[in-house]
Amino acid sequence: MPRIDLCIVATRRPELLAQTLASFREKVLNQLDMGSAYLNLDPVFGSPEDHAACIQIVRDHFPDAVIFEPEQPGFCAAVARVWSASTSEYVFHLEDDWISLREMGQELLEPFANPSIMQVSFHTADQNWDIARKGHFHQRNEYARLLGIKIPLFRTFPKFTTSPSILRGNFARHCAGLMDLTRDPEKQFYSGVNPAMEAYVAGYRNYIFSPEAKPVIRDMGREWREQRNIRKVITNSTSTWENGS
């Protein structure tokens, strides 16, 4: 079984981080050959006490984890930092506000038998992906505009994600090196703001893991933010957190 490094991107939310790690370790990680663990803990949302609690939670699960504690928060920098630090054949990308809805193991790696697949992402309810109709590849249709009218080009472009997923290690590390740290990392794969990134990923594919054509993970972060009236705002492919009025 190939080795997989765990890359965790987190903020100061120990209650969510504890649930995430307990859920994924019990249902997924324990069934894989896990290598090194990396945590980027951004100083966002919580207190210094919450910060210390997050570190302890990760240490309880992964005593030898490499932990990055940047002075300034930045989601893209966080993703690039942990992906770049990885060394194994595969990278398991995880954020601190998800739970697994089912057990998953070696079958997660089976799609990688196709050399064009660089990422196996988990089907989420928020993804709103109709597997039965659209299939398992996460992609978008391409269009041109003529006199303000969208004209289909009858070709697709792959969409990669920074939601929980498994990536080929070399692919993740190369993408990390191409990222513009001032912009949302996911948008750089397909939104026209990072031509070098789009050129690199164009020939590859992202497989959505959904064996029963239904979600296998759930996002806890949306509910957490709604309870606190916090919203994510993306302007010019740059994401920021704002407190609502």
Side-chain angles (χ1 to χ4, degrees):
M1 187 182 299
R3 199 92 163 148
I4 305 174
D5 284 345
L6 177 63
C7 292
I8 308 166
V9 174
T11 54
R12 293 169 165 176
R13 300 182 292 180
E15 70 282 7
L16 294 185
L17 180 60
Q19 291 181 67
T20 294
L21 291 184
S23 171
F24 275 89
R25 188 168 188 185
E26 175 189 357
K27 296 181 178 180
V28 186
L29 302 181
N30 282 345
Q31 302 186 52
L32 301 171
D33 183 12
M34 301 305 297
S36 300
Y38 302 89
L39 167 70
N40 188 96
L41 181 57
D42 269 0
V44 177
F45 296 137
S47 65
E49 290 75 22
D50 292 325
H51 190 102
C54 287
I55 291 176
Q56 188 58 53
I57 289 166
V58 172
R59 291 285 184 216
D60 288 343
H61 285 278
F62 308 102
D64 298 324
V66 176
I67 298 178
F68 301 101
E69 302 174 72
E71 293 184 2
Q72 298 296 325
F75 181 48
C76 188
V79 172
R81 191 174 291 119
V82 291
W83 287 12
S84 295
S86 68
T87 60
S88 289
E89 184 177 355
Y90 293 97
V91 166
F92 195 118
H93 174 76
L94 187 60
E95 296 171 341
D96 63 349
D97 50 9
W98 297 83
I99 58 172
S100 177
L101 301 177
R102 57 170 289 164
E103 290 193 354
M104 296 174 276
Q106 182 66 24
E107 67 271 22
L108 287 167
L109 301 177
E110 291 175 359
F112 288 113
N114 182 332
S116 73
I117 293 175
M118 292 291 138
Q119 182 175 47
V120 172
S121 56
F122 298 98
H123 185 190
T124 79
D126 298 308
Q127 197 172 44
N128 193 29
W129 188 259
D130 188 345
I131 298 294
R133 186 169 65 90
K134 295 185 176 180
H136 286 266
F137 293 111
H138 194 21
Q139 56 196 13
R140 71 174 187 193
N141 295 320
E142 290 198 271
Y143 298 87
R145 283 193 174 273
L146 180 63
L147 301 176
I149 301 173
K150 289 177 64 175
I151 307 296
L153 298 178
F154 302 103
R155 64 175 185 244
T156 60
F157 191 83
K159 293 184 72 172
F160 293 91
T161 183
T162 51
S163 295
S165 64
I166 300 177
L167 305 98
R168 293 188 193 271
N170 288 338
F171 176 81
R173 290 184 283 272
H174 191 89
C175 288
L178 293 174
M179 287 180 179
D180 177 348
L181 302 186
T182 67
R183 298 183 183 274
D184 185 274
E186 185 167 304
K187 298 296 183 289
Q188 296 181 57
F189 285 108
Y190 54 80
S191 292
V193 296
N194 190 331
M197 178 77 83
E198 292 194 19
Y200 174 64
V201 306
Y204 300 124
R205 293 195 283 183
N206 173 14
Y207 181 92
I208 302 172
F209 184 81
S210 183
E212 298 173 346
K214 63 182 182 182
V216 297
I217 63 173
R218 181 171 67 83
D219 183 0
M220 299 184 292
R222 291 177 183 268
E223 181 180 351
W224 186 92
R225 294 191 299 272
E226 288 172 359
Q227 291 172 348
R228 293 157 179 80
N229 204 21
I230 296 170
R231 60 193 182 98
K232 185 178 183 179
V233 178
I234 299 179
T235 304
N236 192 27
S237 297
T238 299
S239 58
T240 56
W241 297 108
E242 293 184 1
N243 289 319
S245 57

